[in-house]
Amino acid sequence: MSSKSVRNPTVMDVAERAEVSVGTVSNVLNGRGNVSEARRARVQTAMRELGFLPNGVAQSLRRQASRVIGLCTPLTTSAYFAALLGYFEEVAAKEGYAVIQVLSRGDPALELSRVEALLGRNIDGLILIPTHDVSATLDLLALRGTPTVIVDRVTSDKRFDYVAIDDRKAMREATRHLIGLGHRRLLYLVHDPRLPTTKLRIKGYLEAAEQAQAEVSPIVVQRDPDDAVFARQVADILASRQPPTAIIASNSMVALSLVRILQALKIRWPDDVALLAFDEPVWAPLLSPPLSVVRHPTQRIALEAWNRLLARVRSPELRPKRITLQAKLIPTASLGPPKTVPRDK
């Protein structure tokens, strides 16, 4: 088939594939509510299968620059994600771009629909902090040819650019620091073990324990989403015969819940347990003693991702690149050696 015979799918093609009227497709594209969920789903499926762009021509995306960048993130309650969003907004404003932000809430299906909505706004490019199963969204982005940079969570998909920290190394070094202080019973509280970030950190955590000169017992526990259940999880672990002497929280949200639980149980850090968290919440220095953290180079991550995205917008033929940055352990008084005698239960 010659290149002249290849055309981009039209609204009529979508209507025919979805077995609906052109008017129904138009209503879906314009967000009108007078379309049943079943028909809306058929139209959206047809658009994905055909590679249909609401603005009409995929190849003209760069010529019709909207100066709008899409940003899809799981949530904004994480201190790290909130800081990233702030930096993206700051650099976008300086360079004359607007940012449209959507939330996936960690749900792959919602992530796909939110990204579809962004593509319908003719964005120039997308910055994506993905869910644990991002395959459908990445296939859509590749099909549409949308300039995309993935931040924080590195997948095995080689079609895209990535900017992230070396999570495996960061956790390995943090764990070695705790072991060097004399801790042998460690607890890592994770939010979602399915995430690429968490998997890498667990590898680093176990590597540090295996390479230690002493016998170390590293435990990984997933935080229950129910606050009351999580409180019982922590209380039961700390009341066991061999409680951990050091706890690592996977992010600022887990850390905040953990701090509240420890305060309710009247457990002090570092006297009763050493405490460390990934992310760097603004409240970390306000605790007594201040919370030790693994600091992300957040501003640099945002700048690297932004610059890479604009480079790809201007030159789509660029080969995908992975940019890996280093996090830094910031130890404070919340880390100390374990007590030599068991504390009272």
Side-chain angles (χ1 to χ4, degrees):
M1 182 181 292
S2 67
S3 59
K4 291 184 179 179
S5 65
V6 177
R7 65 180 179 84
N8 293 289
T10 66
V11 171
M12 295 182 65
D13 295 326
V14 174
E16 182 179 354
R17 173 69 68 93
E19 298 182 342
V20 299
S21 68
V22 171
T24 297
V25 176
S26 177
N27 287 339
V28 172
L29 292 175
N30 290 299
R32 300 190 183 103
N34 54 339
V35 180
S36 69
E37 287 302 317
R39 288 190 175 188
R40 187 181 302 277
R42 293 213 307 270
V43 170
Q44 291 172 339
T45 298
M47 288 192 293
R48 285 198 299 272
E49 291 175 347
L50 293 171
F52 173 79
L53 271 176
N55 69 330
V57 186
Q59 302 301 322
S60 66
L61 180 60
R62 296 185 300 280
R63 294 194 298 272
Q64 298 178 358
S66 62
R67 298 198 70 80
V68 175
I69 297 298
L71 176 60
C72 182
T73 180
L75 40 82
T76 57
T77 49
S78 161
Y80 170 51
F81 289 160
L84 269 180
L85 302 185
Y87 285 125
F88 284 133
E89 286 283 359
E90 182 179 317
V91 69
K94 288 180 179 178
E95 300 193 21
Y97 279 84
V99 174
I100 299 179
Q101 174 193 322
V102 296
L103 299 179
S104 69
R105 303 191 186 282
D107 181 347
L110 183 59
E111 175 181 67
L112 178 61
S113 69
R114 290 292 186 262
V115 169
E116 285 177 332
L118 287 174
L119 297 181
R121 299 292 296 272
N122 190 26
I123 57 174
D124 288 349
L126 176 68
I127 294 172
L128 175 64
I129 303 175
T131 61
H132 65 273
D133 184 3
V134 70
S135 55
T137 298
L138 295 186
D139 286 343
L140 172 65
L141 292 168
L143 178 66
R144 298 287 181 87
T146 305
T148 301
V149 174
I150 299 174
V151 174
D152 185 65
R153 298 170 180 175
V154 178
T155 77
S156 59
D157 196 314
K158 298 181 180 179
R159 295 174 292 181
F160 300 91
D161 296 283
Y162 295 86
V163 179
I165 66 168
D166 189 338
D167 284 288
R168 187 171 181 175
K169 180 181 177 182
M171 176 58 98
R172 187 168 58 241
E173 292 182 348
T175 305
R176 284 174 177 169
H177 183 83
L178 291 171
I179 294 172
L181 291 173
H183 294 281
R184 299 294 180 263
R185 298 191 300 276
L186 310 175
L187 171 63
Y188 180 31
L189 292 172
V190 305
H191 172 69
D192 188 344
R194 299 171 298 179
L195 294 175
T197 299
T198 307
K199 292 178 179 179
L200 288 171
R201 289 179 186 172
I202 290 175
K203 286 183 178 179
Y205 179 61
L206 298 179
E207 284 173 354
E210 291 170 0
Q211 295 166 5
Q213 298 300 313
E215 184 176 347
V216 178
S217 299
I219 301 171
V220 179
V221 173
Q222 182 179 3
R223 182 221 197 277
D224 193 281
D226 184 283
D227 289 342
V229 176
F230 180 51
R232 289 196 295 271
Q233 279 182 304
V234 174
D236 289 345
I237 291 171
L238 293 175
S240 63
R241 294 184 62 184
Q242 295 291 324
T245 61
I247 303 178
I248 306 172
S250 63
N251 59 38
S252 59
M253 296 180 298
V254 174
L256 182 58
S257 298
L258 175 62
V259 165
R260 288 171 173 164
I261 294 167
L262 295 180
Q263 289 175 335
L265 294 173
K266 300 188 183 306
I267 292 176
R268 301 164 299 171
W269 57 89
D271 296 341
D272 299 322
V273 65
L275 202 56
L276 172 66
F278 276 76
D279 294 357
E280 190 174 9
V282 294
W283 48 263
L286 304 180
L287 296 181
S288 182
L291 178 65
S292 299
V293 298
V294 175
R295 176 181 293 164
H296 296 62
T298 313
Q299 184 175 27
R300 189 178 169 199
I301 290 172
L303 289 174
E304 292 280 5
W306 182 268
N307 291 336
R308 188 62 187 171
L309 181 63
L310 292 194
R312 182 157 294 285
V313 168
R314 299 182 187 113
S315 304
E317 70 281 359
L318 287 175
R319 293 183 62 182
K321 184 178 182 181
R322 298 196 176 198
I323 300 173
T324 303
L325 305 176
Q326 301 303 318
K328 183 179 180 181
L329 173 65
I330 309 297
T332 68
S334 73
L335 298 183
K339 295 178 68 173
T340 56
V341 293
R343 61 177 174 80
D344 293 336
K345 302 282 194 298

